[in-house]
Amino acid sequence: MPVILYDLCGAEEFQRFSPYCWRVKMALAHKGLSWEERPTPFTKVREVAGGISATVPVIEDEERTISDSWDIVSYLEETYPDRPTLFGGEAGRALSRFVESWVNTSVNTKLVHLVVKDIHDILSPPDQAYFRETREKRLGHTLEELHETRHERLEAFRLSLQPMRQMLKSQPFIGGAGPLYADYILFGTLQWPRVASNFQLLEAGDAVTDWFERCLDLHNHLGRSQPAAA
């Protein structure tokens, strides 16, 4: 039986933009596992798997139900040890935890200010109301205010990726010669605006841009199979 993945979607079910769901999809593909996606809008998340979580991703695998991207990926690594490793050992797991913390606190927090209005605009009306209320409360500004001033914040976002640029001078992936879960963490974050926004975040010729393009082609072009924002 394939793994069931509850995946966040926009007003159109094909719009799958969650960075955390993308982390899990790339991990499933890395492991060579088959999965079935269940598109889930924001306002339906609490109906998933008996209300196990307020957020997705959530997976069902046989009789197990797991939420939270880190817990899901740790489960996949432990449950399918005969398949390609996501961490490359316990040291790699610990380093992936650091990458997750860096991306979540230093990259995602800057990125959301740039594309939050674009995300809102691809949602259905009930989801838009929920999203506006929760994000404006969290970010302390209206979506329109953030949208109008986003060019002022763009450079800070690009600078947050400088550790990647330095690393990419010596190796093609965070995982070294090939990708590991640490790569999928940042990939999911950059796939998020690719799907939800046409705002140009990265410049051509940027080493991070080139790395992201390589990641889009991994696992039979899994990332690229998701249409980009018009």
Side-chain angles (χ1 to χ4, degrees), residues 137-209:
K137 181 178 180 180
R138 182 183 304 174
L139 300 173
H141 296 275
T142 68
L143 304 186
E144 287 73 19
E145 287 170 344
L146 292 170
H147 188 78
E148 290 169 4
T149 59
R150 62 181 176 174
H151 284 90
E152 301 170 14
R153 297 181 172 90
L154 180 57
E155 187 59 25
F157 163 73
R158 289 175 174 171
L159 285 173
S160 73
L161 295 169
Q162 192 59 27
M164 273 293 287
R165 296 186 186 94
Q166 291 298 114
M167 184 218 68
L168 289 167
K169 291 178 180 180
S170 59
Q171 59 197 60
F173 294 98
I174 301 175
L180 290 173
Y181 181 63
D183 288 275
Y184 306 146
I185 294 169
L186 183 58
F187 170 79
T189 285
L190 297 182
Q191 181 79 321
W192 182 21
R194 176 181 172 270
V195 177
S197 173
N198 59 13
F199 186 53
Q200 184 175 347
L201 295 167
L202 298 175
E203 298 175 295
D206 187 337
V208 179
T209 304

Side-chain angles (χ1 to χ4, degrees), residues 42-98:
F42 276 109
T43 51
K44 299 294 184 182
V45 169
R46 289 188 181 273
E47 299 176 12
V48 165
I52 188 175
S53 175
T55 61
V56 288
V58 171
I59 69 163
E60 295 175 349
D61 185 28
E62 301 294 341
E63 296 181 358
R64 292 289 307 278
T65 302
I66 307 101
S67 61
D68 182 82
S69 57
W70 180 266
D71 290 345
I72 291 170
V73 169
S74 295
Y75 164 81
L76 296 176
E77 185 78 342
E78 293 159 8
T79 305
Y80 301 99
D82 56 324
R83 293 173 178 266
T85 179
L86 289 161
F87 299 123
E90 286 305 307
R93 182 192 297 265
L95 287 170
S96 294
R97 214 30 159 165
F98 170 77

